[in-house]
Amino acid sequence: MKEISDYTQKNAGRPRSQKAHQAILSATRSLMLETGISKLRIEKVAEKAGVGKTTIYRRWKTKEDLVSEAFGSIADKVQIPNTGNKIEDLLKIAKGMIESVSQSFGVSVQKVTPIILEIISNPELMRMYREQYILPRRQIFTHILEESIESGQIRSDVDIDLVIDQLIGTYFYFALMGEDISTLDNRFRKAAHQLVEGIGTKDFH
Amino acid sequence: MKEISDYTQKNAGRPRSQKAHQAILSATRSLMLETGISKLRIEKVAEKAGVGKTTIYRRWKTKEDLVSEAFGSIADKVQIPNTGNKIEDLLKIAKGMIESVSQSFGVSVQKVTPIILEIISNPELMRMYREQYILPRRQIFTHILEESIESGQIRSDVDIDLVIDQLIGTYFYFALMGEDISTLDNRFRKAAHQLVEGIGTKDFH
DNA sequence: TACATTACGATACGAATCGTATCATAAATA
DNA sequence: TATTTATGATACGATTCGTATCGTAATGTA
């Protein structure tokens, strides 16, 4: 049997319907919001998309493959922010890691955080999320921080990748494991300030 | 029917076996390591514990309740570290959030991180993990940081809870979403140093 | 046009797992 | 001894899974 991922139309036979393809991905996204990933039923996706479940199983080997494409294909290019304030720029990019998803889905952040947690728990989906959502934003972070070094706001000897780890780690901890999302923005701003200015007394170093 | 969680022996009838209770929790922990939580089968737990599945369903309403007790009941008191170096103390506590689990289970950290990710993804299990594993360590963090303020290493105007968020956030990002666990310790140490000393130039503030 | 090929939607199917119900038996109290 | 509750075993209907089968539709080729 032919590998699903190796599919190429061989100029013979009925071609796969692109309309069905998009309908399936759209139905997958819609139902994911209602049930999460673990309770997503392929048969329900088929019903909602108006296709037979055979069509889904023919195109995607596993549910993870389907979800990965449904989720990954809506990620779009990250805009470089320019609020005039570096801290606000950093916040905007950090928030984009989850808000870009909630905006694509047209729902609140609270609706998508459980799904993102499920994605992070699954190695294959995590790979997609890292590549499509995290890494592009790390590049923007790098750009912003390098600008800050050039402008003399940040020391040139700091480990930029590590700073990004600290910012993203703090943001995810707030967004995915926090109990109060309403104060997230201000806590992130203050955390960024503490990182810039340092919490030490300077007497020691 | 009587609520399971409200169970109290009414001085009548055969009492519930405590031996079976512990055997069930132990079997749950053992099988969790092999299959994760989502694929944990109650029937397999019963078989491994040498009890009927009726006994499990009688005592725990849901799989989450069972896992929550099996996991939460092995959390023990957190020791206050005293390595002589505050950064090392912070690292030790942070690592304990995952290493205390791996040590209780007698397996490597890599074996338990997927399970902790599953726990974090489940609101009920996350509540247990927060109460049993995170909050006790936040208290130790607070203790260490207050000591550092008293000794003049850290400024008294810093937001300690926020510093803890930054440390824990960074640690979890490394441990749960990182790709290279071998350098985790050194990256955490360096991140803590960057937070203490600040990444800014002091020319701005 | 006729034929070969592949995709289509519908549906039937066995397998796995779920949580409940039933049962005779065991272990406690009154 | 009688009552009550727990025990382990097992049967059960309900879901969901992924596959197989079917006649039909849509394409390229002879």
Side-chain angles (χ1 to χ4, degrees):
Chain A
M1 180 180 172
K2 174 152 41 58
E3 283 298 308
I4 294 178
S5 55
D6 294 350
Y7 176 80
T8 46
Q9 185 72 1
K10 287 223 202 71
N11 260 2
R14 178 176 175 173
R16 290 190 180 171
S17 162
Q18 282 308 306
K19 201 167 144 192
H21 200 85
Q22 294 307 319
I24 292 166
L25 294 178
S26 177
T28 300
R29 286 189 288 266
S30 171
L31 291 174
M32 264 174 63
L33 277 176
E34 298 175 16
T35 65
I37 297 171
S38 64
K39 289 182 182 165
L40 182 69
R41 303 291 168 230
I42 300 292
E43 192 142 15
K44 296 285 184 186
V45 174
E47 186 185 331
K48 180 147 203 163
V51 304
K53 60 191 267 194
T54 322
T55 301
I56 298 179
Y57 281 112
R58 187 183 298 117
R59 299 182 188 210
W60 292 277
K61 269 211 244 344
T62 66
K63 190 164 76 175
E64 285 67 42
D65 287 343
L66 172 59
V67 170
S68 184
E69 182 170 341
F71 201 94
S73 61
I74 56 170
D76 40 37
K77 204 154 173 290
V78 185
Q79 299 296 322
I80 298 179
N82 188 11
T83 62
N85 180 322
K86 290 295 184 214
I87 300 275
E88 293 304 313
D89 288 351
L90 295 174
L91 172 61
K92 208 161 187 174
I93 291 299
K95 288 175 75 175
M97 291 192 297
I98 290 177
E99 285 195 352
S100 67
V101 176
S102 72
Q103 284 166 12
S104 295
F105 279 72
V107 298
S108 68
V109 167
Q110 289 93 326
K111 284 262 184 185
V112 298
T113 49
I115 294 176
I116 291 179
L117 278 167
E118 275 194 280
I119 286 173
I120 292 172
S121 305
N122 180 300
E124 183 183 345
L125 296 178
M126 178 60 196
R127 198 174 315 122
M128 174 277 298
Y129 185 69
R130 177 180 291 117
E131 290 171 7
Q132 301 290 324
Y133 291 86
I134 299 181
L135 291 186
R137 287 173 177 81
R138 288 192 75 106
Q139 293 193 337
I140 311 289
F141 272 125
T142 302
H143 176 76
I144 296 172
L145 293 170
E146 283 176 346
E147 274 187 349
S148 300
I149 290 179
E150 288 168 17
S151 68
Q153 289 175 284
I154 289 182
R155 294 200 315 277
S156 60
D157 65 320
V158 302
D159 184 333
I160 288 186
D161 273 342
L162 190 59
V163 171
I164 296 171
D165 290 334
Q166 292 177 270
L167 294 170
I168 292 181
T170 301
Y171 172 75
F172 273 136
Y173 184 62
F174 286 155
L176 301 179
M177 305 175 70
E179 294 178 284
D180 177 17
I181 203 168
S182 70
T183 59
L184 192 157
D185 288 13
N186 277 333
R187 281 183 291 150
F188 183 88
R189 288 187 186 100
K190 194 169 178 184
H193 274 115
Q194 287 192 157
L195 179 57
V196 171
E197 299 175 9
I199 63 175
T201 49
K202 321 289 181 266
D203 302 353
F204 299 76
H205 53 80
Chain B
M1 181 177 173
K2 172 152 41 60
E3 284 297 309
I4 295 177
S5 54
D6 294 349
Y7 176 79
T8 46
Q9 185 72 359
K10 287 223 201 72
N11 261 3
R14 177 175 176 173
R16 291 189 179 172
S17 162
Q18 283 307 307
K19 201 167 144 191
H21 200 86
Q22 295 307 319
I24 291 165
L25 295 178
S26 177
T28 300
R29 286 188 289 267
S30 171
L31 290 174
M32 263 174 64
L33 276 177
E34 298 176 15
T35 66
I37 297 170
S38 65
K39 289 181 182 166
L40 182 69
R41 303 291 168 230
I42 300 293
E43 192 143 17
K44 295 285 183 186
V45 174
E47 185 186 331
K48 181 147 201 160
V51 305
K53 59 191 265 194
T54 323
T55 301
I56 298 179
Y57 282 113
R58 188 183 298 117
R59 299 183 188 209
W60 293 276
K61 268 213 245 343
T62 64
K63 189 166 77 176
E64 284 68 41
D65 287 343
L66 171 60
V67 170
S68 184
E69 183 170 340
F71 201 93
S73 61
I74 57 169
D76 42 36
K77 203 154 173 289
V78 186
Q79 299 297 323
I80 298 180
N82 189 11
T83 61
N85 180 321
K86 290 294 184 214
I87 300 276
E88 293 303 312
D89 287 351
L90 296 172
L91 171 62
K92 209 161 185 175
I93 290 299
K95 288 176 73 175
M97 292 192 296
I98 290 178
E99 284 195 353
S100 67
V101 176
S102 73
Q103 283 166 12
S104 294
F105 280 72
V107 299
S108 67
V109 167
Q110 290 93 326
K111 283 262 185 185
V112 297
T113 50
I115 294 175
I116 291 180
L117 278 167
E118 275 193 281
I119 287 173
I120 292 173
S121 305
N122 181 300
E124 182 184 344
L125 296 177
M126 179 59 196
R127 198 175 316 124
M128 173 279 296
Y129 185 68
R130 178 180 291 117
E131 289 171 8
Q132 302 291 324
Y133 291 86
I134 299 182
L135 290 186
R137 285 173 177 81
R138 288 193 74 105
Q139 293 192 335
I140 310 289
F141 272 126
T142 302
H143 176 77
I144 295 172
L145 293 170
E146 283 176 347
E147 274 187 349
S148 299
I149 289 179
E150 287 167 18
S151 68
Q153 291 175 285
I154 289 181
R155 294 200 314 277
S156 59
D157 65 319
V158 302
D159 185 333
I160 288 187
D161 274 341
L162 190 59
V163 171
I164 296 171
D165 290 335
Q166 293 176 270
L167 294 172
I168 292 181
T170 301
Y171 173 74
F172 273 136
Y173 185 61
F174 286 154
L176 300 180
M177 305 175 69
E179 295 178 283
D180 177 17
I181 204 168
S182 70
T183 59
L184 192 159
D185 288 11
N186 278 333
R187 282 183 289 149
F188 183 88
R189 288 186 184 101
K190 194 168 178 184
H193 273 114
Q194 286 192 157
L195 178 58
V196 171
E197 300 175 8
I199 63 175
T201 49
K202 320 291 180 261
D203 303 352
F204 299 77
H205 54 82

